[in-house]
Structure formats: structure tokens, C-alpha cells
Amino acid sequence: MNKNKIDILLNKYLKGTISREEAEDLQELSNLCKNNELKEAFRKQWDKYQLSPEMNFPEIRDISNKIHKSIHATRKKYIINIWTRIAVSILLIVTTGLSVFLMIDDKQMQTLGEREIITQVDKGQRANITLPDGTTVQLNSESTLSYRQDFGIQNREVKFNGEGFFQVTKNPDKKFIVNTQYMDVEVLGTSFNFFAYESKDIVEVTLVEGKVFLYTNTSPRQTTILEPNNKAIYNKNTGKLNVEQTNTTFETAWRATELAFRTEPLTVVLAKIERKYGVIINIENEQLFSEFYTGVFEKEDLTEVMKVLHAHFQFTYKIKGDTIFIK
């Protein structure tokens, strides 16, 4: 038995500088070494300390007797002097303390694993993040993505709100799951666009490549498997889930510099402009709600975008700060 190692580790423990790995080593060595070896180790540590002046001999004797009676030793009885009894007391404190130390450390590790890492994108901004497994996510304006700090150890699950383009790293042993309030998506390795703003009535999943399995979180539960160039649309108001073919270029156009629309209601067009440029648009004429627009905006300038819409729909508008008023 390495007596020097026990002395070193015990000294570290009593000073409070022992690491988790060293505490495990000390606990194992304490269980394996002989009784006289432990006594000698604790005696060395005791010699470094002095009795508290407030503790008198009868108090020490009473405490040590109670500790000694609780051990239930089966070895040959012998007279233990006061120093040995205190050494036994230290032994109990150390072995109990080590267990508590390890238990607390395990709980701390569990707590750390349960902590969430959250990415929030402000209005008018975008963000690119890479998850611990190599999966990349491009987040659109006003989107939120969160995952536990132990992501990838036992599972790969994220919580999502907003719009994002996911390129998932393949891992046949651990499915990648995106959780939202109304719909969850399961994949092994693929790329897809997810539109799931909590403030919107529609949830959309557009598959670019690979295959995804999705299901609704409302009753009755609906499931479907998407193929590339398909889009699943869930209506929160009706509770219906539909699948249709789509052009992924339009669905993922927000990732590039341009805005692309294909027979989109003007309200949808303006909502995407709001998110992209971080503005608020007020429409006074409700007749515009029924209008549709098809086109691509290649310029980033908000003024140019509004000029094009003005020419197409013949409305008037005014920009005041971050608010646009359409008449």
C-alpha cells in the first residue's frame, strides 16, 4: 500500500484542496488498507493539529466512546487511547465526508448538465450557430434556440421558436429532435427549414434533402414523413396538417441577401420585411390584405423594397423611424 499517497491525499482533503479524482482514490485506498496503516496515517495528520481549548478531556472521551461503540468491530478488543479514538473520529469524518463530497459533486455535475444554453436573435438580425455534434443552424430574426448543456451525451434535443435552417449531422444512434409548442421534428441527418413562430397561426417544415418524421403535439396526434421538396403545413386554428410540394429556393431565400416570394399574401410579404429590417408596418387599408405578390428583392435597401411594392400595389407610405405607415 502506498502510505505516502494516503498521507498526501488525506492532507489535501483536510485542507479542502482535493479534486474529485483524488477523492475517489483516497476513498478506494481507505477501503483497501489495513487498520493499523489507517491509524498511522491519521495519527500523522492529528500531530499537525491541536485540540481546541474549549474541549476538555471528559467531552472528548464521551464523544470518542460514542463513535467507538457505533463501529461494531469484530476484531480483538484492545484499549484505545485518546489519540487513537480521535484518529477513529477523523476516519469516520473523512469516509463520511468523502461520500458527501462525491455525492455533492455528482449532483453539481447533473445540475450543470441540465442548464440550458439559449441563443436569441434580435429583430432585424440573424445568427449562425454550431451545436456540439457539428449540426449547424441558421436562425432568422426574432428566433430562439435552446438546448441542455449535456446535449449529445444521451440525446440530441433542442427547443425552437422562430425560423431556422437546420443542417443536421448524421448519427444513426441518436436522433436529432426539434421541439416546438405545436409540432416536433425527428431526423437522423438532413437539412430542412422550420418556420414555427409562436405568434403565427401557421407552422411549416420544408425539407431540402434527406428525410424527416414529424408529429403534432395536439389531439388528435397527426404524423407524416417528408420527402425532399415537400412542405408540411400545420394550421393552429383548424388543427389540420397538410403536405404539399414546394420550391425550396423560395422557402429558404431568407438565408441569402434577397427576399423571394411566390404568390404570397401581402401580409406575409410585409411580415417578412418587418423581421428582416427590424421595422413595424401599419396598414390602414384592409383591402390590401387580400393582395398577393410574386417576386424577388435582390437589394438590401429598405427604401428600394418599399418603392417596388408601392409601384406594384399603388399604395402610399411614409417611413418614420422604425415604423412604416401604409395607406
Side-chain angles (χ1 to χ4, degrees), residues 9-18 26 93-94 97-98 101:
L9 294 179
L10 185 58
N11 187 51
K12 282 188 175 183
Y13 174 78
L14 294 176
K15 288 183 177 180
T17 60
I18 194 168
L26 178 55
I93 293 172
V94 169
L98 281 171
F101 176 88

Side-chain angles (χ1 to χ4, degrees), residues 25-268:
D25 289 342
L26 178 55
Q27 189 175 44
E28 183 177 355
L29 289 173
S30 299
N31 292 333
L32 294 176
C33 71
K34 298 178 181 179
N35 187 53
N36 59 342
E37 292 176 336
L38 269 182
K39 283 164 54 178
E40 181 62 27
F42 291 126
R43 186 187 298 277
K44 289 181 180 180
Q45 295 300 324
W46 174 255
D47 290 340
K48 298 178 182 180
Y49 299 91
Q50 293 182 354
L51 286 175
S52 171
E54 288 79 11
M55 292 186 67
N56 55 41
F57 184 84
E59 289 175 331
I60 297 174
R61 182 179 57 189
D62 183 60
I63 293 172
S64 60
N65 283 336
K66 290 181 180 178
I67 294 174
H68 179 58
K69 290 179 180 179
S70 66
I71 296 177
H72 301 295
T74 58
R75 299 180 181 180
K76 185 177 180 181
K77 294 182 179 181
Y78 52 89
I79 299 175
I80 304 178
N81 61 36
I82 186 61
W83 308 112
T84 306
R85 290 184 178 180
I86 293 176
V88 174
S89 302
I90 296 176
L91 171 61
L92 290 179
I93 293 172
V94 169
T95 53
T96 304
L98 281 171
S99 300
V100 173
F101 176 88
L102 296 174
M103 180 179 68
I104 291 176
D105 196 62
D106 286 337
K107 288 184 177 179
Q108 288 175 339
M109 292 297 292
Q110 182 179 358
T111 301
L112 286 174
E114 292 174 352
R115 289 182 181 176
E116 282 197 335
I117 297 175
I118 303 173
T119 300
Q120 293 180 316
V121 184
D122 294 334
K123 193 171 186 178
Q125 302 297 318
R126 298 176 190 168
N128 294 312
I129 64 174
T130 301
L131 299 178
D133 68 336
T135 294
T136 60
V137 186
Q138 186 174 357
L139 296 175
N140 203 354
S141 173
E142 298 182 284
S143 298
T144 302
L145 182 77
S146 64
Y147 57 93
R148 285 176 41 140
Q149 193 161 321
D150 60 357
F151 173 92
I153 297 178
Q154 294 185 352
N155 57 58
R156 299 191 296 167
E157 290 193 31
V158 299
K159 296 178 183 177
F160 176 66
N161 171 49
E163 184 170 25
F165 185 80
F166 294 76
Q167 292 180 291
V168 180
T169 300
K170 291 184 179 180
N171 186 340
D173 299 324
K174 296 177 182 176
K175 295 180 180 179
F176 187 94
I177 302 176
V178 184
N179 296 310
T180 69
Q181 183 178 359
Y182 290 91
M183 182 188 295
D184 292 347
V185 175
E186 290 186 8
V187 301
L188 290 178
T190 186
S191 57
F192 61 96
N193 196 77
F194 205 162
F195 181 90
Y197 285 97
E198 291 181 0
S199 59
K200 302 300 180 181
D201 294 332
I202 299 295
V203 177
E204 296 180 349
V205 179
T206 302
L207 185 61
V208 177
E209 62 180 24
K211 185 179 292 186
V212 301
F213 170 72
L214 55 88
Y215 51 88
T216 62
N217 293 323
T218 55
S219 182
R221 186 179 185 182
Q222 303 167 76
T223 64
T224 189
I225 297 177
L226 284 186
E227 301 289 343
N229 299 315
N230 280 353
K231 176 170 70 173
I233 306 171
Y234 176 75
N235 190 311
K236 298 178 185 178
N237 296 323
T238 64
K240 291 184 178 180
L241 177 66
N242 296 312
V243 177
E244 62 183 40
Q245 287 190 333
T246 187
N247 186 328
T248 58
T249 301
F250 284 94
E251 302 293 346
T252 61
W254 64 270
R255 301 173 57 217
T257 58
E258 77 276 1
L259 290 168
F261 303 98
R262 183 191 60 192
T263 317
E264 295 277 9
L266 181 59
T267 52
V268 173

